[in-house]
């Protein structure tokens, strides 16, 4: 795997590279990230990953500063999965960056209590798309709103990039893999698996889905010591609250704090 330690280094070599499949990450890589590389390798393109902890998308400075880092392991994982290129931009990527504003529907769910988060995501991705000019880009559906954000942005701006969504990889307990899981204690990890359990229970009983049902689950999680930021049953495109499972597919999305670690997860409910 060829490693570019700056954007300048990448740009010098770029004309010699073929068509690229792009997988952006913030590092501290796990099997979830690896699955995106594996999906990328199914296409004929070379795969390029980036590792960049994007401070524009953190509204909490502490969260940014303690974001886990493990570059040597990350490089080893990427090599093992056949990633062809790794670009590690430094903060000069922020120089003269053009700010991009996320549409208002992204003020819901994760956008509600993390103001500016999705603006930061789009701003950095817009710059990376311009630098890398990938043919394909792959995103995990664990960050479901981010996946929709990018899909909408590509469509709105007529960019010639195919966006692929990858299913969430989980621990055996059901807990969605996340770099933030490394910040959980053993006991917190045991508690955290209830997040996915609740989603599965809501899905298994989707014919009775309602605000009351959702609220009972919030109470259940809070009794376990989990602080629920949101647990929402909504339209998977507009993120408007909805329980109309007879008419359309729905998304149940959650963000919750276990200790002081913020975790997210979601599950799709198919129309009855
Ligand atoms: P991050 O490093 O958290 O910014 O994530 C980089 C990419 O990996 C994003 O597209 C995420 O949605 C995706 N990702 C993170 N965790 C998982 C997971 N457990 N399963 C699948 N994809 C994931």
């Amino acid at each position: 795997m060829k490693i570019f330690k700056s954007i300048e280094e990448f740009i010098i070599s770029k004309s010699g590279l073929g068509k690229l499949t792009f997988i952006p990450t913030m590092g501290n890589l796990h099997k979830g990230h690896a699955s995106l590389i594996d999906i990328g390798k199914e296409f004929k393109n070379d795969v390029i990953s980036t590792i960049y902890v994007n401070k524009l998308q953190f509204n909490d400075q502490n969260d940014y500063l303690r974001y886990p880092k493990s570059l040597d392991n990350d490089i080893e994982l990427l090599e093992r999965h056949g990633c062809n290129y790794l670009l590690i931009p430094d903060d000069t990527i922020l120089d003269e960056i053009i700010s991009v504003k996320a549409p208002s529907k992204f003020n819901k769910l994760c956008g509600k209590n993390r103001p500016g988060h999705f603006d930061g995501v789009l701003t950095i991705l817009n710059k990376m798309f311009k630098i890398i000019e990938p043919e394909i880009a792959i995103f995990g559906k664990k960050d479901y709103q981010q996946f929709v954000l990018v899909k909408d942005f590509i469509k709105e701006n007529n960019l010639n990039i195919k966006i692929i969504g990858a299913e969430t990889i989980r621990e055996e307990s059901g807990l969605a893999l996340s770099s933030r899981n490394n910040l959980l204690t053993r006991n917190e990890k045991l508690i955290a698996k209830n997040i996915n359990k609740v989603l599965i229970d809501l899905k298994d009983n989707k014919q009775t889905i309602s605000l009351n049902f959702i609220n009972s689950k919030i109470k259940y999680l809070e009794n376990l010591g989990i602080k629920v930021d949101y647990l929402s049953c909504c339209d998977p495109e507009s993120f408007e609250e909805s329980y109309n499972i007879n008419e359309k597919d729905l998304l149940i999305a959650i963000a919750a704090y276990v200790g002081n670690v913020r975790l997210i997860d979601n599950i799709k409910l198919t129309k009855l």
Side-chain angles (χ1 to χ4, degrees), residues 22-156:
F22 173 37
I23 299 165
T25 84
M26 298 205 295
N28 198 242
L29 304 182
H30 49 65
K31 286 180 185 156
H33 298 108
S35 77
L36 307 194
I37 305 289
D38 294 344
I39 292 170
K41 294 299 285 183
E42 290 170 15
F43 298 87
K44 59 183 182 340
N45 294 357
D46 282 343
V47 172
I48 179 164
S49 186
T50 49
I51 293 180
Y52 182 65
V53 184
N54 171 26
K55 63 169 79 131
L56 299 181
Q57 72 188 65
F58 286 81
N59 53 324
D60 175 348
Q61 178 76 355
N62 262 344
D63 190 24
Y64 169 68
L65 291 174
R66 70 191 188 126
Y67 198 83
K69 294 169 189 69
S70 55
L71 187 58
D72 291 345
N73 285 338
D74 294 352
I75 290 172
E76 197 262 321
L77 177 143
L78 290 170
E79 281 185 328
R80 210 165 359 104
H81 286 265
C83 186
N84 303 89
Y85 306 109
L86 170 62
L87 169 59
I88 310 173
D90 57 44
D91 278 340
T92 60
I93 192 171
L94 301 177
D95 293 350
E96 289 160 43
I97 199 160
I98 300 163
S99 293
V100 184
K101 192 135 188 58
S104 60
K105 73 180 189 184
F106 295 97
N107 294 333
K108 299 189 176 78
L109 309 182
C110 276
K112 193 167 174 201
N113 289 335
R114 299 187 77 192
H117 168 69
F118 289 118
D119 300 342
V121 171
L122 270 190
T123 298
I124 209 78
L125 281 176
N126 182 45
K127 180 124 186 201
M128 286 183 173
F129 285 149
K130 285 203 171 105
I131 293 164
I132 296 172
E133 297 183 296
E135 186 184 47
I136 299 171
I138 306 178
F139 292 84
K141 291 193 202 166
K142 180 175 86 78
D143 301 86
Y144 197 85
Q145 256 186 313
Q146 172 174 278
F147 169 61
V148 175
L149 177 82
V150 178
K151 262 198 323 177
D152 286 4
F153 180 75
I154 296 293
K155 200 165 163 205
E156 195 64 30

Side-chain angles (χ1 to χ4, degrees), residues 194 198 202 211-231 254 256:
N194 288 289
V198 157
L202 288 164
L211 179 58
N212 273 346
F213 193 13
I214 293 279
N215 282 339
S216 72
K217 291 300 183 190
I218 293 177
K219 229 182 211 147
Y220 172 78
L221 290 171
E222 303 237 340
N223 281 338
L224 294 171
I226 297 175
K227 188 175 168 299
V228 179
D229 182 0
Y230 64 80
L231 173 62
I254 184 167

